[in-house]
Amino acid sequence: ETMSERELKRIVQRQQTILAAAQAAGENLDRSNTELQLSEVVRDYESLLRKDPKCVSAYISYGLLLKTTGNAKRAFAIFKRAEALDPDVAVIKNMLGNHYTEEGDYREALKYYEGAIALAPKEPLYHYVLGMLLYEYREFFIDDKAFTREALLKRSAEAFAEAARLAPDNIAYVYRYAESFYDLPTPDWDAALATWKNLAQRAKPGVEIETIQLHQANILVQIGRADEARALLDQITAAPLQPSKQKLVDQLAGNTNKAP
């Protein structure tokens, strides 16, 4: 362990202690005192980097702190300096991808997210943010002719699927993967239904599980399993979900009227 590594460990431990105390304080947070303590941490990072300007791990930790505390412009500069020292670090590429996404530079963001995945293909977060980028900026990518609509939506769904596969206990990843079936021109409804069923087993009673049941019912309507859809819809009582439930009830009524 080098002197720089020991110093960095000390700085990071102090930083974590300050941030944990701030979170625990909640509404009782002494903001000015916390900001003072964090400014001292910033000075420690700056001092370390003056002594060892090639300490990539210090740049990464420093950049993450700056990003966490809302100093996005300075964080970007720090991550760019880290990238210049070592262009093959996945977390640096991901953080720069986040910056470009926030700035609306979706082309650069795509390049950096793909770079992060190439370096760390088993990190679910990188697949998830790639899927979000492609979906949120889909019209821009399509207008640029970087993708056809079908290819883009397929690539986005694949990214969400990989994030969910790598982190099956992350509800946010699995939920977004389940939603992505709706984006596809020819969804695999059986796979979609299985994904929503899996989520239902882990959902909390009330609006959370009823929202998932609503998605299940929607898919059952799509594939013509009307009786199963009705059985699920009967279980949905939460007031916020009633308009969506009624649309499916109306669809089922329409299908019933058209049946021979």
Side-chain angles (χ1 to χ4, degrees):
E1 188 176 56
T2 66
M3 288 182 64
S4 292
E5 288 170 340
R6 286 197 296 273
E7 176 65 7
L8 177 59
K9 186 181 293 185
R10 183 193 68 79
I11 296 170
V12 170
Q13 286 176 341
R14 186 182 182 202
Q15 170 186 318
Q16 290 174 340
T17 299
I18 295 167
L19 293 175
Q23 185 174 15
E27 295 181 357
N28 298 319
L29 174 67
D30 184 340
R31 188 174 300 277
S32 61
N33 183 52
T34 300
E35 290 174 352
L36 177 61
Q37 292 182 74
L38 288 174
S39 69
E40 292 171 355
V41 173
V42 166
R43 284 197 293 272
D44 287 344
Y45 275 120
E46 294 283 357
S47 176
L48 171 58
L49 290 171
R50 280 194 299 271
K51 296 173 190 173
D52 187 355
K54 294 185 178 181
C55 186
V56 174
S57 54
Y59 284 108
I60 294 171
S61 294
Y62 186 23
L64 291 170
L65 172 64
L66 291 168
K67 184 68 175 174
T68 300
T69 54
N71 196 338
K73 186 175 180 180
R74 178 64 176 151
F76 173 70
I78 290 295
F79 283 120
K80 289 298 287 185
R81 287 167 66 182
E83 181 190 30
L85 290 168
D86 190 344
D88 294 324
V89 179
V91 67
I92 296 172
K93 288 193 178 295
N94 183 64
M95 294 306 296
L96 289 171
N98 290 345
H99 174 84
Y100 287 119
T101 297
E102 292 164 6
E103 292 295 308
D105 191 344
Y106 53 92
R107 299 179 193 87
E108 281 295 294
L110 176 62
K111 181 176 74 174
Y112 276 96
Y113 285 153
E114 288 182 333
I117 289 171
L119 291 165
K122 294 184 178 181
E123 172 51 59
L125 172 65
Y126 301 158
H127 295 278
Y128 178 78
V129 293
L130 173 63
M132 291 297 293
L133 172 75
L134 290 169
Y135 187 78
E136 295 298 328
Y137 285 93
R138 60 192 179 280
E139 300 303 334
F140 295 93
F141 283 117
I142 293 166
D143 288 345
D144 287 348
K145 302 190 184 306
F147 297 88
T148 64
R149 184 173 298 276
E150 183 174 352
L152 183 141
L153 293 174
K154 180 181 178 184
R155 181 70 185 89
S156 177
E158 287 171 349
F160 291 130
E162 186 65 3
R165 186 187 72 81
L166 290 167
D169 294 330
N170 188 309
I171 300 299
Y173 292 173
V174 179
Y175 196 98
R176 188 61 187 87
Y177 166 52
E179 288 182 316
S180 71
F181 286 96
Y182 295 125
D183 305 328
L184 298 171
T186 54
D188 182 343
W189 289 125
D190 289 335
L193 187 59
T195 305
W196 286 114
K197 283 183 177 179
N198 176 270
L199 277 168
Q201 293 173 3
R202 295 182 280 173
K204 297 176 183 176
V207 174
E208 186 174 305
I209 193 168
E210 289 185 20
T211 299
I212 293 170
Q213 290 172 326
L214 193 63
H215 282 288
Q216 291 177 258
N218 184 35
I219 293 170
L220 290 167
V221 171
Q222 301 290 334
I223 60 180
R225 290 160 62 176
D227 289 343
E228 292 175 69
R230 289 190 187 92
L232 276 174
L233 289 170
D234 286 344
Q235 299 177 47
I236 297 172
T237 59
L241 303 179
Q242 294 310 302
S244 297
K245 172 184 174 179
Q246 190 58 48
K247 288 180 182 178
L248 290 178
V249 170
D250 292 343
Q251 285 185 46
L252 286 167
N255 291 338
T256 301
N257 291 337
K258 293 177 184 177

